[in-house]
Amino acid sequence: MKLEPVIGLEIHVQLKTKSKIFCSCSNDAHNQTPNTLICPVCTGHPGTLPVLNKEVVNYGIKLALALNLKINKKSVFERKSYFYPDLPTGYQISQFEEPLSSEGYYVLKTPKDKIRIGIERLHLENDAGKNLHQKEYSLVDFNRAGTPLAEIVTKPEIKTPSQAKYFLQDLRRICRYLEVSDADMEKGQLRCDVNISLRPEGDLQLYSKTEVKNLNSFKSVEKALKYEIRRQTELWNTNKPPQEETTRGWNDSQQITELQRSKEKANDYRYFPEPDLPTLIIDKKLIEKIKKSLPELPANKKERFMKEYGLKSGDAETIIDNKKVSEYFENVVSEFKEWLISELESTSETEDELWENNKKKALKLIKGWITSELFKLMNEASLSIEEIKISPENMAEFIKTIYLSKVNSSNAQKILKIMFESGGDPSQIIEENDLGQISNESEIEELVKNIIKNNPEQVKQYKEGKINLLKYFVGMLMKESHGKSNPKVGEDLFRDNLK
Ligand SMILES: [Zn+2]
């Protein structure tokens, strides 16, 4: 019997608004002294009242629109009761019957396939604090209590572990593009529980699902799902498919899932409408306003970059992965284009034709120097693109010097490094450090003739047929000219002069 996996995701995204969801405490709990960002509201003191942070609603709508969800005109906050030491109120304020948004979808493109994944809902709720377990006692930090969360629930329409992973990676990128969350899984800003069941291929019924928790990386999501597919396949093959819903936890050190609880022991949340918060009514105008403010989303940008800049899928992905990098890239391209058009003024071609006919070489250089050398320097210095000293103008100018063969590639690396360390204009750096390329043929020819004169033995061997000595001669030339000769010109001159 051929079995197919049925996978759904429940995702929590921490929204990075300035203040918490129901009080004015700072929402930036990362690296803060425990229990310094708290007030009577977020620590659940009796008699306090929650007040909904409007910005949280705006962030939620943004994210919901990016996932093609319908924003519900009316939504209701409800109390979800459960006892846990890091939940001071004894309940979470969430949305259940009437969420902020519902019925959306996301078109996922992976290197292998393209599928449409239904999104059931996105609703808002508050996060709990954090328990810090010591050997003989536990401590509670309430800094995170009241951090706004957007919970996203997909339909069980994901078919493979890698689709689940790609979906989460796309979601992280969307959150970052919208600037609603940094969505870093390691920091708990993006958390995911997965639901998985198997069924005979073609069967449309849903069978008892297993929920897997404690997944804190994209890799662990993929691995836990693969493990569950193996485990449940074995059960099906021995005629014992899972009979009840269970919750399992991912054990990363052993790379297995472990039973946490079965359904009889599951929580009864006793949902009821939160009496201290009014029904949330969303105005159509607000939705329209937010819709207009949405940036170009990463999947669209990737497609555009492939079309407009002739990038391969992988290269486009590398560049659009970070919104700021993609903006930097486009700024460099536009600076370069401007220069190219002014430089190549032509009467017969329009500006667009001019660019079309010359852009291939330029874009290859821009893409190459940004994604290899510049990224390498950024990694070594742990700097983001916003923090570096090389402006897009100077980067375009730098690419220009290479485009015009004014420097050779090893000197270009030196120039970029100096630009990276000190900022500054590439032409000035070339002049100050004497890194320009000698393209003047007669100057190079003089050096070439000298080298031929001083290496009679090698010249003899070359003339006898050992033609790869040409590389040796070019090497000598580069050494004598301190790396400034154009090696291509040098090679041609050696060939001519050794005839
Ligand atoms: Zn507070």
Side-chain angles (χ1 to χ4, degrees):
M1 176 170 43
K2 200 152 189 319
L3 295 162
E4 64 172 13
V6 180
I7 300 167
L9 306 176
E10 268 181 44
I11 302 149
H12 285 91
V13 177
Q14 274 187 356
L15 301 175
K16 58 172 188 180
T17 47
K18 280 207 180 74
S19 52
K20 294 184 180 180
I21 184 168
F22 298 126
C23 62
S24 57
C25 290
S26 163
N27 184 32
D28 191 9
H30 190 63
N31 282 340
Q32 297 289 331
T33 312
N35 297 312
T36 52
L37 310 176
I38 56 171
C39 74
V41 177
C42 54
T43 47
H45 288 214
T48 56
L49 293 171
V51 177
L52 179 61
N53 178 351
K54 200 175 159 189
E55 206 55 9
V56 171
V57 179
N58 292 339
Y59 279 33
I61 294 175
K62 262 191 196 177
L63 191 48
L65 288 174
L67 297 170
N68 303 297
L69 281 146
K70 183 171 113 317
I71 310 297
N72 295 318
K73 186 169 182 252
K74 190 183 135 206
S75 65
V76 176
F77 284 97
E78 298 196 52
R79 288 189 183 178
K80 180 184 184 184
S81 300
Y82 60 95
F83 177 76
Y84 216 62
D86 59 7
L87 188 68
T89 42
Y91 55 83
Q92 181 184 30
I93 301 179
S94 180
Q95 296 184 307
F96 186 58
E97 293 282 348
E98 296 181 78
L100 176 76
S101 59
S102 45
E103 292 302 317
Y105 65 89
Y106 182 71
V107 178
L108 177 72
K109 285 184 197 153
T110 75
K112 269 194 194 152
D113 39 28
K114 178 177 166 182
I115 61 158
R116 185 184 192 276
I117 299 167
I119 314 279
E120 204 167 284
R121 57 192 279 146
L122 177 150
H123 69 250
L124 301 170
E125 59 188 29
N126 63 309
D127 206 346
K130 236 185 214 166
N131 291 322
L132 308 161
H133 301 295
Q134 314 292 313
K135 226 177 186 169
E136 290 172 7
Y137 55 89
S138 289
L139 297 166
V140 191
D141 175 11
F142 289 121
N143 280 350
R144 204 182 65 178
T147 283
L149 297 176
E151 177 170 340
I152 300 161
V153 182
T154 76
K155 294 196 171 155
E157 295 177 351
I158 297 169
K159 295 188 172 69
T160 67
S162 83
Q163 284 174 1
K165 183 190 74 182
Y166 282 116
F167 176 77
L168 286 168
Q169 286 174 339
D170 277 16
L171 181 65
R172 174 179 67 176
R173 218 180 259 151
I174 290 170
C175 288
R176 291 179 177 176
Y177 264 62
L178 297 174
E179 294 173 36
V180 298
S181 174
D182 295 332
D184 195 328
M185 270 191 111
E186 277 77 26
K187 288 184 186 152
Q189 295 158 338
L190 178 72
R191 285 169 252 159
C192 176
D193 298 334
V194 301
N195 288 302
I196 173 165
S197 61
L198 301 183
R199 67 180 172 200
E201 216 173 43
D203 190 343
L204 294 178
Q205 199 184 321
L206 291 173
Y207 293 84
S208 295
K209 64 190 179 189
T210 298
E211 187 181 25
V212 186
K213 291 178 173 287
N214 303 343
L215 302 162
N216 51 17
S217 67
F218 297 118
K219 251 192 202 137
S220 62
V221 168
E222 197 179 19
K223 282 184 184 163
L225 284 169
K226 282 185 178 164
Y227 178 86
E228 274 303 304
I229 291 172
R230 282 199 303 275
R231 189 183 71 84
Q232 294 184 27
T233 302
E234 219 162 278
L235 293 174
W236 275 87
N237 286 343
T238 48
N239 282 324
K240 285 181 285 192
Q243 290 302 315
E244 56 169 10
E245 290 187 12
T246 52
T247 302
R248 300 178 73 88
W250 174 244
N251 182 327
D252 205 49
S253 57
Q254 290 184 50
Q255 302 276 301
I256 56 166
T257 66
E258 296 166 323
L259 185 67
Q260 288 186 334
R261 59 168 186 251
S262 56
K263 208 186 176 185
E264 310 98 271
K265 290 178 208 148
N267 286 320
D268 172 12
Y269 295 123
R270 291 175 289 125
Y271 279 104
F272 71 92
E274 164 62 55
D276 294 334
L277 283 170
T279 299
L280 179 61
I281 307 286
I282 310 271
D283 189 31
K284 256 198 180 148
K285 274 190 206 147
L286 177 68
I287 302 172
E288 283 313 308
K289 195 179 141 203
I290 293 177
K291 218 179 240 173
K292 275 194 198 126
S293 78
L294 291 182
E296 180 182 29
L297 293 171
N300 301 341
K301 187 173 258 186
K302 182 182 165 186
E303 226 156 84
R304 181 169 66 80
F305 271 36
M306 288 172 70
K307 222 191 249 164
E308 211 170 309
Y309 304 126
L311 295 172
K312 288 188 191 123
S313 171
D315 290 333
E317 187 131 342
T318 307
I319 294 170
I320 65 102
D321 187 44
N322 180 312
K323 188 168 136 195
K324 293 285 189 286
V325 169
S326 71
E327 287 165 0
Y328 187 90
F329 174 86
E330 289 211 283
N331 286 335
V332 175
V333 172
S334 109
E335 290 283 336
F336 191 91
K337 183 177 169 183
E338 210 170 284
W339 164 78
L340 192 84
I341 287 168
S342 68
E343 194 76 359
L344 296 179
E345 264 180 80
S346 140
T347 44
S348 57
E349 291 166 301
T350 65
E351 286 189 358
D352 284 341
E353 283 166 351
L354 207 70
W355 174 240
E356 280 307 310
N357 296 335
N358 290 285
K359 72 178 188 183
K360 208 173 161 191
K361 178 179 166 196
L363 287 169
K364 202 176 157 197
L365 286 173
I366 295 170
K367 182 218 85 191
W369 281 92
I370 290 180
T371 59
S372 60
E373 293 305 315
L374 184 62
F375 277 13
K376 200 173 96 194
L377 291 167
M378 280 162 58
N379 272 341
E380 284 166 5
S382 308
L383 289 178
S384 69
I385 197 99
E386 299 111 287
E387 294 166 323
I388 65 167
K389 289 181 182 154
I390 307 176
S391 67
E393 293 80 8
N394 283 340
M395 190 68 190
E397 172 105 30
F398 168 74
I399 300 289
K400 208 163 87 185
T401 61
I402 303 166
Y403 188 83
L404 296 173
S405 306
K406 281 189 181 164
V407 292
N408 60 41
S409 76
S410 80
N411 279 350
Q413 286 188 1
K414 284 183 203 157
I415 295 161
L416 190 70
K417 195 147 188 268
I418 298 172
M419 288 169 72
F420 188 81
E421 280 159 4
S422 57
D425 185 281
S427 341
Q428 206 181 335
I429 292 170
I430 293 168
E431 213 180 284
E432 278 171 10
N433 297 277
D434 198 17
L435 292 166
Q437 183 159 269
I438 313 167
S439 288
N440 183 331
E441 262 193 48
S442 59
E443 224 174 298
I444 299 177
E445 188 155 25
E446 207 170 301
L447 291 166
V448 165
K449 282 185 172 154
N450 263 331
I451 290 165
I452 291 174
K453 202 171 95 194
N454 296 332
N455 294 275
E457 185 51 35
Q458 283 82 356
V459 169
K460 191 171 153 247
Q461 289 176 17
Y462 176 86
K463 287 189 171 160
E464 283 165 10
K466 213 171 166 191
I467 45 167
N468 48 11
L469 273 170
L470 205 54
K471 283 209 178 69
Y472 167 81
F473 293 129
V474 174
M476 296 280 293
L477 171 70
M478 296 312 282
K479 205 172 147 198
E480 302 239 323
S481 63
H482 306 287
K484 286 166 60 186
S485 295
N486 181 332
K488 182 89 191 37
V489 174
E491 194 179 311
D492 290 343
L493 284 171
F494 273 115
R495 223 181 256 121
D496 289 347
N497 281 280
L498 284 166
K499 261 182 196 155

